[in-house]
Amino acid sequence: MSCWTVLGLSADADTRTIKRHYAALLKQTRPDEDPEGFQRLREAYEQALTAKEWEQFSEQDPQEEASWDLTDLSGTQIDVLQQVTRSLNDVSLGELQQRHALALEHGALDVLEDEVLRHCVEHPDTSEDLLEWAIKTFQWFSAWQRLELDEEQIYQVLAQRRQGITHTLREALEREDAEGFLQAYAQCFRHQWLKGEHHRQWFNGLLSQLLLESRFWSSTIFEAVSTGQGWHAGPASPCPKTEWQRLVDRHEAPIFLARQQHLATQPAATPEHRAARLLLAPGSFSQRRALARRLRDDDWTQCRQLSSALYANHPKLCEAMPGGTPFFWREWEHTFDSWPIYLGIALACLIGSFVLYAPNGERLGSLIGVAVFWSVIFSAGGWVLHWLMHQFAHRVWLLDDRLSAYLLPGFNPPPFGVLRDLLPCAVMAAGIGKVYGLIGSGVYVATLVAVGLIRRYEGKPRVSWKPSNPWIKRSLAGAGILLLVALLGVFKVISSQGTVNRNQGLQQWTERLCSRMPASTSECGAPATMEQWYGKEAGQ
């Protein structure tokens, strides 16, 4: 629907007709009775005037200055104009009232209003009292202000008033001065123009935005503003709908934080407990990292929710977290964490193969082949075993914690879990020991212990708002495995090109025929003949 349809005018109507018709429509559409209709009417009126300004732009000189035509005026009228348009610098309230009465008596009220508006635009810092008087006297910023006022200037004055209110309230919040904010908020009720529907919407939006953006939060301020503005949870609340729930969440943030801190001290029975323990429980960075290795997808989902709530409502608490952000765990969420198991298996099989079979004269290729074969077998079995035990230990988290605390009473928290870490390690060590003996088991256990000690080192937290790409780490791990297999293959090829060792290759004596036949064969019962010992070559 066009602005001309709303106004009920044709597109060729002039500016004077538009203003007069708008004034007549205002009597039918009052802002307190039909705010939406008044808003549509006001927007259509502004669009129509803008269109007319563009049409007249080419015909008017923007640098042209208005001048008074005094040819038909009497001396008294000229004197009145001079008194009304005198400088307004340091003018008192009493003198303003006198000028207003004089202008009203001689029909020069519009001249006085235009002069006051111009002065307020040019001298905003010294026109506080003058502006307040003009708003009350001429009903500026309301539906009843004079239509012929310069719209650019009146909007500029309105922007100055809004900026002053915003600056005062924001400054009090930055000082964390709740009493100062409430005093500044109470002063806003003195502005009659804020009672208009359009300005009330702006003021509600300003208050909600200031409260949400401020690092300082006061329940007293929120309750006072909610009462003064009539904010509530109903559908007719003047508070912006998208911001009311966020304000309520921040208002209830101390209760929420106290509950989460209490959960952080309880046994990690649920994802909510585990997320609270990771983010809020006292402990070193390495202890948090050790806990993160035990978390699953449902735990990380809860961590994301809790971190978002802390970031939005508790900025000071977030500054004390690793890296100054509650999202310090982003790089841990997709960590490929099974490499110590495979490293221990590879080292145990390789060292065990050399220690057991190298003294028998086995070639390097054979030793590497045996090591690779058993590494693949144990890696597949270890993956299945650890996956099953981790799933089981995650379901019985509290039992695993109690067993670990009983086994290692001096550690808080224990460096490993009985069901999650110790039992799978013992089973794998027993399996490797079955093939390679104590040497293989010792190498496997020593590798896991060494990795565990290195992990307990207190490193600097490297955090980022951007989560790391898990596929990069997995691709690097896969490339490392492929490189290891390729190197083993190269060693195998190189070793096959070497010279033969003892008891390898062609033998000095030919094979005895009866060595392949059963002892009960009649031909092998008698002593071996010369032909049996020495076979004849073809042609002899």
Side-chain angles (χ1 to χ4, degrees), residues 313-331:
N313 301 325
H314 301 278
K316 293 184 178 180
L317 178 64
C318 296
E319 293 177 355
M321 291 186 173
T325 171
F327 295 91
F328 62 85
W329 46 267
R330 284 283 182 93
E331 294 185 355

Side-chain angles (χ1 to χ4, degrees), residues 485-501:
V485 173
L487 289 176
L488 293 177
V490 171
F491 285 138
K492 179 71 174 178
V493 173
I494 294 176
S495 63
S496 65
Q497 305 298 325
T499 58
V500 297
N501 296 328

Side-chain angles (χ1 to χ4, degrees), residues 88-90 119 123-130:
L88 294 171
N89 291 329
D90 300 327
H119 184 85
H123 307 86
D125 298 334
T126 59
S127 304
E128 182 73 20
D129 296 335
L130 177 62

Side-chain angles (χ1 to χ4, degrees), residues 344-345 347-357 359 429 432-447:
I345 291 174
L347 291 178
C349 293
L350 189 62
I351 295 176
S353 298
F354 273 87
V355 171
L356 292 182
Y357 302 117
I432 295 175
K434 188 70 174 179
V435 177
Y436 291 107
L438 293 178
I439 295 177
S441 300
V443 171
Y444 177 75
V445 174
T447 302

